[in-house]
Amino acid sequence: MAANWKMFKTPAETTVFFTNFLPLVKDAGNCEIAVCAPFIDLPVAIAATHESNVTVGGQNLYWAKEGAFTGEISGPMLKAIGCTWVIVGHSERRQYFGETEETVLKRTKAAIEAGLKVIVCIGEVLAERESGQTEAVLQAQFDGGIAGLSAAEFAQIVIAYEPVWAIGTGKTATPEMAADAHKAVRALVAAKFGADAAGAIRILYGGSVKPDNVSSLMAQEDIDGALVGGASLDPVSFSKIVNY
Ligand code: PGA
């Protein structure tokens, strides 16, 4: 169960969040919990979650290890401060910051080389769904952004299927729509990396996941977890999702 805070919360607000959140999820023994926070919040998030069952991640990285790349943050930097995870290829990065399949693959490889686990996001926009292209889009994103990983690299990723039209809109894909997409993604994994990898990969659903819809989504066979934006900002709401 992963939180994507996007561009929300100061360090002080991060401390308050964990003070309230950690006691609510301390008995959540059957899932991994990750909070992906803005870069400036990571040190306090990592300090707050030390010796807890919650891990922390960034929301983006640059693929070079270091260098003259003003404003960027590298995988080794995230690893050095204690991150476990990083999100790559979120639809907002694709939409507003020029992320492509090629840069998704470069970032993912760099993150894995730095020792991070990666949540790689894929998903179709509304026009693509309405014109029946969902599976073709997922295939293209998989082929360009994920299929170029080695088997060992692939073992370090989690895939998040996030239909872009369901992100932050309150429109969730129906559990059946999500289940179909997850099944298609798992089939892509099986074709490229084999049946064992397809069985082992965790595929998260993201897009307006809330405490009141998480159970019906998680009941679907191929949905292994959730990537939660808006509803992860409130400790009570995110704890209800974790503890569904
Ligand atoms: P949302 O965001 O839960 O606010 O729809 C999900 C995401 O963008 O990861």
Side-chain angles (χ1 to χ4, degrees):
M1 291 298 194
N4 172 15
W5 281 359
K6 312 194 178 187
M7 197 175 72
F8 289 97
K9 293 194 192 294
T10 62
E13 290 166 341
T14 300
T15 301
V16 172
F17 175 91
F18 283 110
T19 301
N20 293 314
F21 179 67
L22 292 178
L24 298 173
V25 297
K26 68 176 179 6
D27 297 325
N30 53 3
C31 71
E32 263 185 80
I33 309 167
V35 174
C36 297
F39 291 134
I40 61 153
D41 298 330
L42 294 174
V44 287
I46 288 157
T49 54
H50 184 63
E51 291 183 346
S52 79
N53 56 343
V54 177
T55 52
V56 170
Q59 300 172 8
N60 186 35
L61 80 161
Y62 191 61
W63 52 80
K65 289 191 177 77
E66 60 181 11
F69 301 106
T70 302
E72 294 299 300
I73 295 284
S74 72
M77 289 172 174
L78 293 176
K79 184 70 184 173
I81 59 160
C83 282
T84 305
W85 297 94
V86 65
I87 298 173
V88 168
H90 190 275
S91 64
E92 288 148 18
R93 303 287 329 164
R94 295 174 188 262
Q95 188 180 352
Y96 305 126
F97 303 104
E99 187 86 88
T100 64
E101 309 318 336
E102 192 191 348
T103 58
V104 167
L105 185 61
K106 283 167 116 164
R107 286 187 220 282
T108 302
K109 281 180 170 280
I112 294 165
E113 199 191 334
L116 297 162
K117 295 195 277 183
V118 187
I119 300 172
V120 184
C121 303
I122 57 176
E124 81 287 358
V125 301
L126 186 59
E128 291 163 344
R129 172 157 289 268
E130 287 179 340
S131 59
Q133 293 177 70
T134 298
E135 289 195 16
V137 168
L138 296 176
Q139 167 117 44
Q141 292 177 340
F142 181 87
D143 287 349
I146 296 175
L149 299 174
S150 68
E153 287 170 333
F154 184 77
Q156 300 304 313
I157 76 163
V158 166
I159 297 174
Y161 167 65
E162 299 203 306
V164 180
W165 47 272
I167 294 178
T169 57
K171 282 188 206 162
T172 327
T174 63
E176 295 71 28
M177 282 159 106
D180 285 349
H182 280 235
K183 199 170 166 201
V185 172
R186 208 177 293 279
L188 293 171
V189 174
K192 172 68 195 172
F193 294 100
D196 288 351
I201 182 77
R202 288 173 292 178
I203 307 176
L204 312 183
Y205 171 80
S208 297
V209 175
K210 308 282 178 223
D212 63 4
N213 62 23
V214 63
S215 300
S216 58
L217 289 161
M218 292 301 298
Q220 305 300 316
E221 191 184 328
D222 284 310
I223 301 184
D224 304 314
L227 180 57
V228 187
S232 74
L233 294 169
D234 174 66
V236 173
S237 142
F238 189 45
S239 74
K240 285 183 180 160
I241 291 171
V242 168
N243 294 322
Y244 81 94

